[in-house]
Amino acid sequence: MAQQITEELKAKSEVYHGDEICKEKSMELLREVDLPNGLLPLHDIIECGYHRESGFVWLKQKKSITHKFDKIGKLVTYGTEVTAVVEKHKIKKLTGVKTKELLVWVSLSDIYVDENSKDKITFQTPTMLYRTFPVSAFMVEEKLGDGKDLKEEKKDVTPALEVKEV
């Protein structure tokens, strides 16, 4: 059973409104729990929230979207409301997300990166069926406010190493 987003829950949570800030916060959350930053390719996000004590998160968008993860050739649809419970390396009790397997759309319930194999990510259905893919298939380049890649920026701020003879 999916947790309800009540006013009481919202009062105890970090809540944000608007597409830009919600995209930023969802990326921060994915980094915080060590999951690939491209797992939530949502658009026109109206509201997002995070109840840190329970790990419950939600994202509301204007309309459902279907996204193709090109590196693995998979279609995933995200409903107008996506909810989950997050913890380190895991998304549990996921609602609002389905993937296309053969000709059928299948709900996803759990996503996790195995502690022993951090380069693999597993997607599980409520019926315990699962698929494992490379984590790299769900990574995207992050842009800074000035449009530069985050990796480029990191290169620029690396201090030069100076060697002195003694």
Side-chain angles (χ1 to χ4, degrees), residues 55-79:
F56 182 72
V57 296
W58 70 91
L59 295 137
K60 293 181 181 181
Q61 55 184 353
K62 288 182 183 175
K63 60 181 182 176
S64 296
I65 64 155
T66 299
H67 177 80
K68 183 175 184 180
F69 288 97
D70 291 325
K71 293 179 183 173
I72 58 169
K74 286 288 180 190
L75 285 175
V76 177
T77 192
Y78 296 85

Side-chain angles (χ1 to χ4, degrees), residues 8-102:
E8 183 180 336
L9 178 71
K10 283 184 178 185
K12 298 175 183 176
S13 302
E14 298 171 26
V15 181
Y16 302 93
H17 296 91
D19 188 54
E20 192 174 324
I21 188 73
C22 287
K23 282 181 182 176
E24 183 183 312
K25 293 299 179 181
S26 65
M27 293 287 253
E28 277 179 26
L29 177 66
L30 290 170
R31 277 192 299 273
E32 189 178 310
V33 296
D34 284 335
L35 288 171
N37 64 356
L39 280 178
L40 298 169
L42 305 180
H43 301 288
D44 296 327
I45 305 172
I46 300 165
E47 177 183 283
C48 65
Y50 182 26
H51 184 255
R52 285 190 180 274
E53 190 177 309
S54 66
F56 182 72
V57 296
W58 70 91
L59 295 137
K60 293 181 181 181
Q61 55 184 353
K62 288 182 183 175
K63 60 181 182 176
S64 296
I65 64 155
T66 299
H67 177 80
K68 183 175 184 180
F69 288 97
D70 291 325
K71 293 179 183 173
I72 58 169
K74 286 288 180 190
L75 285 175
V76 177
T77 192
Y78 296 85
T80 55
E81 187 173 291
V82 175
T83 66
V85 174
V86 297
E87 58 186 56
K88 203 70 156 168
H89 306 289
K90 292 180 186 173
I91 295 176
K92 304 183 302 186
K93 300 180 182 177
L94 181 64
T95 67
V97 181
K98 294 180 180 185
T99 185
K100 195 161 193 180
E101 288 295 325
L102 298 172

